[in-house]
Amino acid sequence: MWSTLDRAAIFALALLATGSCSRAPRLHLQYGSELKQTELARFLEENPLGAGENIKVTTLGRGREVSHHIVQVREREEPHVHERHDGTVVVLRGGGYLMLDGRRIDIATGDAVYIPRGAPHYFVNTGSDPAIAFVIFSPPFDGKDYVAVRDR
C-alpha cells in the first residue's frame, strides 16, 4: 500500500517527466475541490527570489496530509532538521549537493531525494543561477519545524 507521501513523490516525478521536453514544467495541484495550475516559469516570474534573498520558500497549497512548496536557493541553506516532518525534494532547475546526515549527495535537475524527519541536512547550490525545487512535506509544513544544528 502506498503512503500519501509515496503517492505525492510519484506525482512529483510524473510532473517532472512531463517537463522533460523543451517546455518548462507545469504544476497541476489539487487542494480540496480547487485545481491550481501554472507553469513553473510563470510562477517564478510572479514569485521572484529577491536581490537580497538567499532562500525563498513559497507554499503552493496543502492537503490533509501533505503540503507542497517551491524552494529557491541562491547559495546554500544552513544545517537544520525538521523534527516532525518528512520531506521529498524534486530538483526542477539547477543543482548542487545535499548534505544529509553527514553524507554528501550530488543532485541535479530531475533528481528526487527523501529527507526523513530528524535527519540533519542542508543544500549547497553549485550553479550560478538559483536552484529551484518542488518540496513535499508530510504532515503539512507551516514553517515552524526548523531547528538549526551544527554542521556534522
Side-chain angles (χ1 to χ4, degrees):
M1 177 119 197
W2 295 95
S3 73
T4 301
L5 190 58
D6 292 332
R7 288 191 300 272
I10 290 167
F11 170 78
L13 292 173
L15 170 75
L16 190 62
T18 65
S20 62
C21 55
S22 61
R23 68 171 170 73
R26 295 179 292 179
L27 304 170
H28 305 271
L29 302 169
Q30 179 94 25
Y31 301 103
S33 62
E34 182 182 1
L35 177 64
K36 295 183 179 182
Q37 298 175 300
T38 189
E39 289 188 6
L40 179 63
R42 182 179 185 191
F43 175 86
L44 294 172
E45 285 175 18
E46 294 170 356
N47 298 278
L49 181 62
E53 286 182 292
N54 180 43
I55 298 172
K56 181 171 186 165
V57 178
T58 307
T59 300
L60 300 171
R62 60 188 290 143
R64 188 166 44 105
E65 297 183 28
V66 298
S67 60
H68 301 116
H69 312 265
I70 293 291
V71 178
Q72 303 174 60
V73 179
R74 186 178 313 281
E75 295 174 6
R76 63 174 287 153
E77 295 180 297
E78 294 300 319
H80 64 282
V81 299
H82 305 289
E83 294 176 334
R84 298 176 308 279
H85 291 83
D86 297 312
T88 300
V89 177
V90 179
V91 181
L92 299 176
R93 284 191 188 167
Y97 63 90
L98 177 73
M99 292 301 297
L100 177 60
D101 210 10
R103 297 171 302 200
R104 178 182 166 137
I105 303 169
D106 293 316
I107 56 177
T109 300
D111 289 346
V113 180
Y114 170 70
I115 302 172
R117 65 187 71 198
H121 64 281
Y122 63 93
F123 171 75
V124 176
N125 180 4
T126 58
S128 57
D129 293 325
I132 312 296
F134 178 69
V135 180
I136 305 157
F137 280 107
S138 178
F141 188 66
D142 62 5
K144 296 177 183 173
D145 181 22
Y146 178 98
V147 179
V149 297
R150 291 183 187 234
D151 189 9
R152 294 183 175 189

